Amino acid sequence: MRSVFPYRVLSSDVTLRVEKISVDNKAKGLDRINDKAQVVALQDLEETNQRWADIRLKVSVRTDGTELSSGPWTLPQCVAVVTNRRTNVYHSFPLDPQDGGVWVGDIELRREEHVGRSQLSASIVATVDGIEGRLIGVSETSWDVDFEAKVPAPERSMKMRWIDFTEHDHLKEYRDDPWLVDSEAGEPVLLLNSSVDGLRGVLETPHGSEQKLVREIMASQVASEAWSAMFNAAVYACDVLDGEPQWPGGWHEDVLRKMIPDLYPDLSPEDALIELVEARTDGENGSDLQRRLMHGSGVHSRKPRKVSTALRDLRRMANRRETT
């Protein structure tokens, strides 16, 4: 879960990108990189029968250079971090600073250390209040380095529709709800209730700093609840054949594979699926799962960061008013 720091951290986003791939010192095409989905596909990389030994990814990290240079910290540094839960690998790679809040560098992936999917993230550390190595920023989302994918599949996005709940019989009982997720027919759809006064204006065309902060908090809450709803639907879509839980396929499987590592970081996806389905069929107390789900949906909606950033900005606004 997101920590609360007793010192100021970056409020601007930290953006991580994979720029190039080389395999055993031979450059590979950029079609293996999907910047939007933040996936690198690394299956069948060898052009001969020889197995690759070393993969290098050239990465860049960017944040707001003005905030970085004006903050209460010194000697900011950036590292790229690679983890693989199945092999218990954790490596960090210092990146080289450039101008304006930019770092670049290479990370190395050795074949014997990575299976399935590895995660790539970035952290910015600095000296704060005389203490070295304090974390002041992390990349918004991690990249998936997929050793079992030939194509970096794009991330599915949920469709959204504005609809007046009071005008539809099947939605009238939810007339006071600002949003719902409809996952009964095909792909899930986020329904936004246009009959809630002011909701559309705040989410689509906020005016002023306060409304923009409200939009950030509300948007993260919408996303968090949507992830939770999709996850619960996906768990109930899993069948059991010959005593073995089966991946449900389609968007249900995409959601499970995306969220499971954050809910069960110490289990493989297959073992986590078994635990999820057993908890569902046995009817045991779901409080542990709900705690995990709240954390996982918060990670994917970026809710903790959005809320903490909004509260910090509100405090700064209040301080400015008091001094004027």
Side-chain angles (χ1 to χ4, degrees):
M1 299 183 181
R2 184 173 177 83
S3 301
V4 177
F5 296 93
Y7 53 87
R8 181 179 162 189
V9 298
L10 290 167
S11 60
S12 53
D13 291 344
V14 177
T15 304
L16 169 65
R17 292 190 63 187
V18 176
E19 309 284 355
K20 295 180 181 179
I21 304 174
S22 64
V23 181
D24 296 331
N25 294 320
K26 295 181 179 179
K28 304 299 291 188
L30 297 180
D31 58 329
R32 293 278 183 167
I33 303 171
N34 189 321
D35 191 59
K36 182 178 180 181
Q38 296 186 303
V39 175
V40 181
L42 297 179
Q43 188 182 36
D44 293 342
L45 283 173
E46 47 269 17
E47 297 176 356
T48 67
N49 291 329
Q50 299 296 320
R51 291 160 60 90
W52 62 266
D54 175 85
I55 293 175
R56 289 185 180 272
L57 303 180
K58 182 178 179 61
V59 302
S60 65
V61 176
R62 289 173 170 79
T63 192
D64 187 323
T66 301
E67 182 185 12
L68 185 69
S69 61
S70 61
W73 40 68
T74 58
L75 303 175
Q77 302 174 61
C78 183
V79 294
V81 178
V82 178
T83 58
N84 189 295
R85 294 185 175 97
R86 291 173 62 181
T87 58
N88 202 29
V89 161
Y90 181 99
H91 291 313
S92 60
F93 300 87
L95 303 180
D96 298 323
Q98 311 294 304
D99 293 331
V102 178
W103 290 265
V104 298
D106 293 339
I107 67 169
E108 180 183 11
L109 307 174
R110 298 189 182 95
R111 187 181 188 98
E112 66 273 11
E113 296 177 338
H114 298 274
V115 295
R117 283 193 175 200
S118 295
Q119 281 69 49
L120 170 63
S121 61
S123 299
I124 300 176
V125 298
T127 299
V128 184
D129 298 332
I131 301 176
E132 298 180 356
R134 282 191 154 179
L135 183 67
I136 63 170
V138 295
S139 51
E140 281 290 292
T141 55
S142 61
W143 280 65
D144 285 325
V145 182
D146 196 333
F147 296 89
E148 299 176 351
K150 297 180 181 179
V151 178
E155 184 177 7
R156 292 173 182 261
S157 58
M158 178 183 286
K159 297 178 180 178
M160 294 187 296
R161 289 177 55 198
W162 283 100
I163 187 171
D164 188 336
F165 287 13
T166 63
E167 296 180 355
H168 297 266
D169 291 340
H170 68 293
L171 294 174
K172 284 183 178 178
E173 62 180 301
Y174 312 113
R175 62 173 60 88
D176 295 326
D177 293 340
W179 52 77
L180 290 172
V181 175
D182 182 2
S183 58
E184 291 186 0
E187 298 284 330
V189 179
L190 174 64
L191 303 179
L192 298 167
N193 190 355
S194 60
S195 68
V196 175
D197 187 34
L199 179 63
R200 190 163 193 165
V202 169
L203 290 180
E204 291 189 344
T205 56
H207 298 288
S209 300
E210 286 83 359
Q211 281 200 10
K212 290 180 180 178
L213 292 177
V214 172
R215 179 190 62 181
E216 289 298 312
I217 294 176
M218 291 186 66
S220 66
Q221 181 65 29
V222 172
S224 177
E225 292 186 16
W227 276 108
S228 295
M230 290 189 297
F231 182 85
N232 284 321
V235 171
Y236 279 89
C238 296
D239 290 327
V240 178
L241 297 178
D242 299 325
E244 292 292 329
Q246 305 296 307
W247 291 100
W251 70 265
H252 292 106
E253 182 170 341
D254 289 346
V255 169
L256 290 176
R257 290 191 180 275
K258 189 74 173 177
M259 296 190 69
I260 274 177
D262 293 300
L263 271 67
Y264 296 98
D266 299 326
L267 298 179
S268 69
E270 289 71 24
D271 289 341
L273 183 67
I274 292 173
E275 184 156 328
L276 282 171
V277 173
E278 286 181 349
R280 183 199 73 188
T281 55
D282 292 344
E284 61 184 48
N285 191 317
S287 59
D288 176 67
L289 174 58
Q290 292 308 308
R291 283 194 297 270
R292 295 175 184 270
L293 180 54
M294 288 180 67
H295 168 62
S297 61
V299 169
H300 290 282
S301 64
R302 305 178 187 177
K303 180 179 176 181
R305 179 177 178 83
K306 296 295 184 182
V307 171
S308 61
T309 299
L311 292 174
R312 186 164 54 247
D313 290 343
L314 283 172
R315 186 169 60 249
R316 291 175 185 168
M317 291 178 190
N319 291 337
R320 283 198 297 268
R321 291 193 187 99
E322 291 175 0
T323 57
T324 57

